[in-house]
Amino acid sequence: AAKALTQSRFNTIGVVAPHGEGFFLNEYYSKVLCGVSDFLLDSHYRFKLLMLKCKEEKWDKYRFHSAEGVDGLMITHWRLFFSDKQVFKKLGIPCVIIGDPEKEVHAHFVSADQLTGGRLAGEYLWAKGHREMAAMTGGPYSIDSHLRLAGFQKALREKGVELDTGSIL
């Protein structure tokens, strides 16, 4: 511990997730933690789960490096914890956000190409002979769902098919 303090290196990545009921039962977070754990398994890094409460008071000024002994952060749902796009520049440690890239946010992002995923799904179903289709989407707040639906609809439009609103659930 003393060596780490003098070098200011802890070889630890902090994974920031919301502290709430049923967290460990949530498949999304289980997969995120499993992925981080598996990736770091053969490295000299370890990870620390930082379950933060989502409250009005944000974590913008918290000193994660010194207080938590982490060299970097991987963050799920960053807006739950931080109020300012510039906060990641101020934290002074590398940050990776799981989600769609946003302008003016000084962090690295890990995300999927949702638009292309939706398009590929539409093309696949068309190629398999399906002509009557429906789409199940996420909540109205889900940017990912909107992008997947847009890609799906674009693929079908290119084939001359238009989804009616009753086919979008």
Side-chain angles (χ1 to χ4, degrees):
K3 183 179 176 184
L5 287 173
T6 60
Q7 295 176 341
S8 292
R9 293 230 25 219
F10 300 98
N11 292 340
T12 302
I13 305 299
V15 179
V16 176
H19 189 192
E21 275 189 44
F23 173 83
F24 290 102
L25 298 173
N26 186 305
E27 187 177 349
Y28 171 79
Y29 294 111
S30 296
K31 288 183 178 186
V32 167
L33 294 175
C34 183
V36 172
S37 175
D38 289 353
F39 182 80
L40 295 176
L41 195 60
D42 293 327
S43 76
H44 62 282
Y45 283 91
R46 58 186 171 255
F47 84 90
K48 177 188 274 191
L49 177 59
L50 304 173
M51 296 180 73
L52 304 182
K53 292 182 179 177
C54 307
K55 51 188 177 179
E56 288 182 33
E57 178 186 323
K58 299 294 183 176
W59 297 86
D60 294 6
K61 295 183 180 175
Y62 191 71
R63 306 304 307 162
F64 289 93
H65 179 71
S66 57
E68 298 297 337
V70 297
D71 300 311
L73 294 174
M74 177 171 278
I75 304 158
T76 64
H77 311 299
W78 76 268
R79 290 181 185 272
L80 293 176
F81 312 109
F82 304 102
S83 60
D84 180 11
K85 289 183 174 189
Q86 301 301 314
V87 70
F88 302 107
K89 191 187 285 188
K90 297 172 190 171
L91 289 178
I93 57 176
C95 296
V96 175
I97 297 172
I98 300 172
D100 292 329
E102 294 185 48
K103 292 180 181 178
E104 300 175 23
V105 175
H106 296 278
H108 300 281
F109 287 85
V110 175
S111 68
D113 184 347
Q114 303 294 344
L115 193 65
T116 299
R119 180 183 55 77
L120 290 173
E123 290 172 356
Y124 175 81
L125 292 171
W126 182 267
K128 291 293 183 183
H130 299 282
R131 298 300 180 260
E132 292 184 30
M133 296 177 231
M136 292 180 68
T137 63
Y141 56 86
S142 174
I143 295 169
D144 291 347
S145 288
H146 291 292
L147 290 170
R148 281 191 300 272
L149 178 61
F152 187 71
Q153 288 175 311
K154 183 175 187 235
L156 295 182
R157 262 188 233 111
E158 290 172 358
K159 305 294 185 194
V161 175
E162 202 61 51
L163 280 182
D164 62 68
T165 55
S167 299
I168 301 171
L169 311 172

